[in-house]
Amino acid sequence: MGKPHVSDRLRELSRPTGEEELLAVDYPRPRLRIPAWQAAIVAVVGVAGVVLWLGLSSQESMPEPAAVSESATEAPASVVVSVIGEVDNPGLVTLAPDARVADALAIAQPRSDAELTVLNHAQKLTDGQQIHVLPKGAAPAEPQDMEGGAPDSVGAGGGISLNTASVEELKELSGVGEVTAAAIVAYREENGGFSSIEEIQEVSGIGPAKYAQLKDQVQL
């Protein structure tokens, strides 16, 4: 065998044997030491604070409940009534909630041939009420009581009242459907009511033949 190479000899000599002395290193002690129980308390308090903050933030972001409208409990600011018949200004009249029939007539301006004695001028008005001013000598077609109730659409003669009947009631007439009944009501509101039964022929869709069929079924 030949002589070992110099580099192999150096590697063998420098190989650690495991018996070298370990360096004694003195690590510095921490300046602040917190016991485990104190750390746990700090953690619990921190979590509680975060939860409380999240709860307050969500309450602030929620919209406030809408305030109850005071108008829902208050009396209406006005009443709207309809005045038809022998008046210069027929149609809807808006008045104070404590107004009476006389107040509505003052705005509607009854004509000289209007029969006013059959009306109760002191009657307190209600919203949606209709006042029918008849010509002198005519019998009242609908009762107008002190309670302010809606007049009956069927008069003493048994016919449907052209001036008070609803669309549904007018549809009970022979040959009158939804469209014709609505046209009668529209004409009535636009012209302040019917002054005569013959006037129904002015309504769109009612010709002489249909008028002859209806004239005995209706009244003012």
Side-chain angles (χ1 to χ4, degrees):
M1 292 180 63
K3 295 183 178 180
H5 197 272
V6 175
S7 60
D8 293 337
R9 183 61 180 165
L10 291 175
R11 187 180 299 109
E12 182 179 352
L13 292 174
S14 60
R15 182 180 301 166
T17 63
E19 298 179 358
E20 291 84 356
E21 293 184 2
L22 296 177
L23 295 177
V25 180
D26 187 12
Y27 294 97
R29 298 180 63 185
R31 297 181 180 180
L32 178 61
R33 300 184 64 185
I34 301 177
W37 65 272
Q38 290 184 352
I41 292 177
V42 171
V44 171
V45 172
V47 172
V50 171
V51 172
L52 179 61
W53 178 79
L54 291 175
L56 293 176
S57 299
S58 62
Q59 289 182 359
E60 291 177 357
S61 61
M62 292 178 61
E64 296 183 359
V68 178
S69 175
E70 296 180 359
S71 59
T73 58
E74 293 178 354
S78 62
V79 294
V80 179
V81 299
S82 172
V83 184
I84 62 174
E86 298 300 309
V87 293
D88 291 331
N89 303 313
L92 300 180
V93 179
T94 302
L95 298 162
D98 58 348
R100 302 183 183 273
V101 169
D103 299 315
L105 293 176
I107 295 176
Q109 292 295 301
R111 297 168 183 161
S112 58
D113 61 342
E115 180 61 83
L116 301 179
T117 59
V118 297
L119 298 173
N120 183 356
H121 292 225
Q123 178 183 337
K124 191 172 182 179
L125 297 173
T126 58
D127 191 62
Q129 184 177 347
Q130 180 168 273
I131 302 170
H132 188 188
V133 181
L134 297 171
K136 287 182 179 179
E142 71 254 11
Q144 297 187 14
D145 55 33
M146 287 298 294
E147 299 300 325
D152 192 350
S153 61
V154 179
I160 299 294
S161 173
L162 294 176
N163 285 320
T164 61
S166 65
V167 171
E168 292 300 319
E169 291 166 335
L170 289 169
K171 285 168 59 178
E172 298 177 6
L173 295 170
S174 177
V176 175
E178 181 83 26
V179 175
T180 303
I184 293 173
V185 173
Y187 178 91
R188 179 177 73 201
E189 294 178 349
E190 195 173 310
N191 296 275
F194 293 90
S195 58
S196 66
I197 294 177
E198 291 78 9
E199 191 179 351
I200 195 176
Q201 297 178 87
E202 302 295 329
V203 177
S204 176
I206 299 180
K210 185 167 287 189
Y211 168 71
Q213 186 181 5
L214 294 175
K215 66 179 182 178
D216 296 329
Q217 302 179 51
V218 298
Q219 63 180 26
L220 299 179

